[in-house]
């Protein structure tokens, strides 16, 4: 789980974020309303607006913390030399995260919210904290002649969309397999995509 604040006496802002995170983890983004968060913290709904401009700002705080945690996990990997193996290790971290924290993953990647990063501009300007890892592996693979020369950011976006789509269908109950089988399905789909860009 992503824990936002680790202090004995949480600030009011910290309590708000922690309460919102608990609601998100249990019931999804729809459950994170200013009224429900205020009730969980023990303050009036208007008190929340001293710390967050609106509900979108609160949801963006949760999503940003999720992106920081996911980027930290990928950044901590001891990646192999082979670019394809790097991409598969990154895929596994994304799958771990998505399956451990499905509501947070949905908020980060699939929930429409003001301020969410967009393709292509935010990717090409380095504003995506997680996309850069796959882009670097793909770029290395292109330089080494493993993958065809193409637009690295478009391919990064496409493989991300492939994973996010599969996760969405799995979490929506549209994929009737075990978690282990789902992981294998994702790796198979990922491998077929990589075969399509291989030189």
């Amino acid at each position: 789980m992503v824990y936002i604040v680790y202090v004995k006496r949480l600030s009011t802002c910290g309590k708000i974020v922690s309460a919102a995170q608990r609601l998100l983890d249990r019931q999804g983004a729809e459950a994170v309303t200013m009224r429900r968060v205020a009730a969980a913290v023990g303050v009036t709904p208007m008190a929340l607006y001293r710390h967050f401009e609106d509900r979108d700002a609160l949801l963006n705080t949760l999503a940003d913390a999720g992106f920081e945690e996911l980027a930290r996990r990928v950044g901590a990997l001891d990646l192999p030399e082979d670019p394809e193996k790097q991409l598969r290790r990154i895929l596994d971290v994304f799958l771990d995260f998505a399956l451990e924290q499905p509501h947070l993953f949905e908020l980060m990647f699939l929930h429409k919210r003001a301020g969410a990063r967009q393709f292509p501009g935010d990717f090409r300007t380095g504003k995506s904290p997680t996309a850069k890892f796959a882009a670097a592996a793909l770029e290395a693979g292109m330089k080494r002649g493993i993958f065809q020369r193409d637009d690295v950011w478009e391919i990064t976006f496409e493989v991300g969309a492939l994973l996010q789509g599969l996760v969405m269908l799995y979490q929506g109950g549209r994929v009737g397999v075990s978690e282990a089988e789902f992981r294998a399905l994702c790796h198979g789909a990922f491998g077929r995509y990589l075969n399509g860009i291989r030189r």
Side-chain angles (χ1 to χ4, degrees):
M1 298 289 180
V2 177
Y3 292 99
I4 311 294
V5 183
Y6 279 104
V7 293
K8 286 184 180 179
R9 290 176 61 98
L10 290 175
S11 65
T12 300
C13 184
K15 289 177 183 176
I16 291 167
V17 172
S18 294
Q21 185 178 330
R22 286 192 299 274
L23 285 167
L24 175 69
D25 290 343
R26 292 176 188 153
Q27 300 173 49
E30 291 72 25
V32 183
T33 66
M34 299 302 257
R35 188 173 299 281
R36 291 186 73 182
V37 172
V41 176
V43 297
T44 66
M46 288 308 296
L48 269 60
Y49 291 96
R50 286 190 221 123
H51 303 276
F52 296 94
E53 182 179 347
D54 53 23
R55 178 174 178 267
D56 280 335
L58 180 54
L59 289 174
N60 282 338
T61 297
L62 297 176
D64 287 345
F67 278 111
E68 288 172 17
E69 170 63 13
L70 183 53
R72 186 196 62 74
R73 289 190 192 189
V74 178
L77 287 174
D78 184 15
L79 290 172
E81 286 289 318
D82 180 78
E84 183 168 348
K85 289 180 180 176
Q86 289 178 27
L87 289 165
R88 288 186 178 275
R89 291 286 301 280
I90 294 167
L91 170 64
D92 281 328
V93 172
F94 272 71
L95 279 171
D96 288 345
F97 191 92
L99 296 170
E100 288 167 13
Q101 301 181 80
H103 293 305
L104 178 57
F105 188 87
E106 181 182 358
L107 173 65
M108 290 162 60
F109 291 103
L110 304 170
H111 191 86
K112 187 172 183 177
R113 55 191 170 81
R117 285 175 284 274
Q118 293 184 326
F119 178 84
D122 291 333
F123 279 58
R124 296 188 190 283
T125 55
K127 292 179 183 173
S128 172
T130 53
K132 63 183 180 181
F133 299 104
L138 286 163
E139 181 69 31
M142 289 177 190
K143 285 180 179 175
R144 290 173 56 179
I146 298 168
F147 302 131
Q148 301 168 36
R149 262 279 166 208
D150 207 325
D151 189 305
V152 168
W153 290 111
E154 285 188 8
I155 294 173
T156 299
F157 180 71
E158 290 163 9
V159 295
L162 174 62
L163 170 63
Q164 291 151 23
L166 289 169
V167 167
M168 179 183 70
L169 291 169
Y170 181 71
Q171 291 177 351
R174 302 300 180 92
V175 184
V177 299
S178 69
E179 183 177 307
E181 290 169 324
F182 175 68
R183 288 175 180 271
L185 177 70
C186 290
H187 272 276
F190 204 72
R192 284 185 287 275
Y193 184 92
L194 293 181
N195 284 341
I197 64 169
R198 204 178 302 280
R199 286 192 66 179

